[in-house]
Every structure is written in structure tokens, then in C-alpha cells.
Amino acid sequence: ATNQDLRALVKKGVFREDLYYRLNVVPLHIPPLRDRAEDIPALVQHFIFASGLVKVFEPDAMRALQEFKWPGNIRELESFVRRLAVLYAQDIMDRDTVMEELRKLSPAASGGVPVAENLSQMVDRLLGEYFAAHHGMMPPAGLYDRVLREIEKPLIEQTLLVTGGNQIKAAEVLGLNRNTLRKKIRSLDIEVRK
């Protein structure tokens, strides 16, 4: 499973075309969890059962989980449910408890008041969730380079977005030489919108 556009990677020569056709026999598109809120109660019950603990979510607490946007999809939900199961001794999870933890997870998505979180804290939280999603196993080797590669494109795209596509301003914000920024825009196939 991947969220990468493999067809685009084949065109760039980064992904083998023969492997693409072997894998693309029956492509399945699974909508994001935010579009399948009705699946959340069953998933929560599954994750609770898998944790080996007994927890019951009050109806209001379950509704809070269903209203959350879950940018990390099912893995984020699983990590969240496991965290609740381990951190809270009570058997019945109420809405207040769930909302408090959702605010910590993502203040904007939960409709809560933003908690002061700097970039380092955000990265730390996301990496913690990434490692938790591996269920005690180690991720594939090369994580350092992979993280740097995966953050570079959205970093440049978001900077260009907030600067209105102004490459001079974006280069200044990023602390890059303008020519270096242009090379990165080309090599990362970034669309500059003004």
C-alpha cells in the first residue's frame, strides 16, 4: 500500500515500470478515514480488543472520535486508541477524556484551542506516532535520508504557498540561494502558483 503516485514516479524514472504493472493488477482506492466515520466504532472496538484491555467508549466519546478528521487515517486512530487504553485506568472513556487527548493530538482538527507546539515538538510527536505504527518493529533502514527527502518537498511547497509563489521571498524564508531553490523546484517537480 502506498500514498505515492506510482505512475508519476514511473514517468520520472524513480520507480520501475515493470514492477508498477505487476503491482497494479487490481488497484484499490480506499477513501480516507475522515470520509468513513461510520467505520470508526468497529475499528475502535478492534483496537481495544487487540490491546487486551477492557474499555468502553460512551456514545458522546465515540461521536467525538467520529467527528475528528484523522489526518493519519487508521494508523493514527489505532495509535490514539492504544494510548488511551494504556494511559487511563478507568474502564469507561467519556467525551471529556477523549476531547482532551484529541486536543493534544491536533488542536485545529479537534476544534479545540491550539496548544503552543513548536516545530521540534510537532516533529517529535509525528515521529513518535511513526515508530508506534511499527508496533515494536524497526522501520526500514535509511530513515534519516528518507525523512529529509519527504519533508523537503512539502516544506518548499508550503513556503511558496505562503509567499504567494514569490521565489525570492521563499528563498529568503528558507535560507536558500534563489538558484538553489529553483533547482529544487525543478528536481522535486513542484508547481509554482502565483
Side-chain angles (χ1 to χ4, degrees):
T2 182
N3 62 358
Q4 303 286 319
D5 182 354
L6 295 181
R7 190 173 293 181
L9 295 177
V10 168
K11 286 181 185 175
K12 286 183 187 177
V14 181
F15 193 83
R16 287 181 23 206
E17 188 172 15
D18 65 316
L19 182 56
Y20 171 75
Y21 288 113
R22 284 184 186 189
L23 296 174
N24 198 33
V25 175
V26 180
L28 298 175
H29 173 71
I30 301 172
L33 188 57
R34 67 180 166 272
D35 295 339
R36 298 180 292 126
E38 68 278 2
D39 292 348
I40 290 175
L43 289 167
V44 168
Q45 291 307 313
H46 171 74
F47 298 142
I48 287 293
F49 180 76
S51 76
L53 301 171
V54 177
K55 301 286 179 183
V56 175
F57 284 77
E58 290 181 347
D60 283 347
M62 190 61 74
R63 267 192 294 284
L65 293 175
Q66 289 179 288
E67 291 166 359
F68 191 77
K69 299 301 177 203
W70 300 109
N73 283 311
I74 290 175
R75 287 190 183 106
E76 184 180 22
L77 175 65
E78 179 180 16
S79 174
F80 182 80
V81 170
R82 285 174 181 244
R83 184 167 45 251
L84 284 177
V86 171
L87 293 179
Y88 291 90
Q90 70 260 30
D91 292 337
I92 298 176
M93 305 304 294
D94 61 17
R95 183 177 177 85
D96 290 341
T97 302
V98 168
M99 289 304 293
E100 179 60 32
E101 289 299 317
L102 285 174
R103 277 195 255 318
K104 292 177 189 174
L105 190 63
S106 175
S110 66
V113 178
V115 175
E117 185 178 44
N118 65 34
L119 186 58
S120 179
Q121 290 167 325
M122 270 190 267
V123 170
D124 185 55
R125 178 174 48 79
L126 292 172
L127 287 173
E129 290 173 10
Y130 175 79
F131 279 106
H134 284 81
H135 310 295
M137 304 289 289
M138 288 295 112
L143 179 62
Y144 181 82
D145 288 334
R146 200 165 52 253
V147 167
L148 293 182
R149 273 194 319 272
E150 289 185 21
I151 198 169
E152 188 174 35
K153 184 173 182 177
L155 172 63
I156 293 171
E157 288 174 332
Q158 288 296 318
T159 306
L160 286 165
L161 183 67
V162 298
T163 60
N166 185 320
Q167 293 180 32
I168 295 171
K169 283 184 186 175
E172 185 179 313
V173 169
L174 291 166
L176 294 175
N177 170 307
R178 187 173 51 170
N179 290 333
T180 301
L181 177 60
R182 286 186 176 146
K183 286 178 189 172
K184 288 185 178 293
I185 289 169
R186 279 193 302 276
S187 69
L188 296 169
D189 196 27
I190 295 172
E191 183 182 340
V192 180
R193 296 183 192 139
K194 300 198 179 207

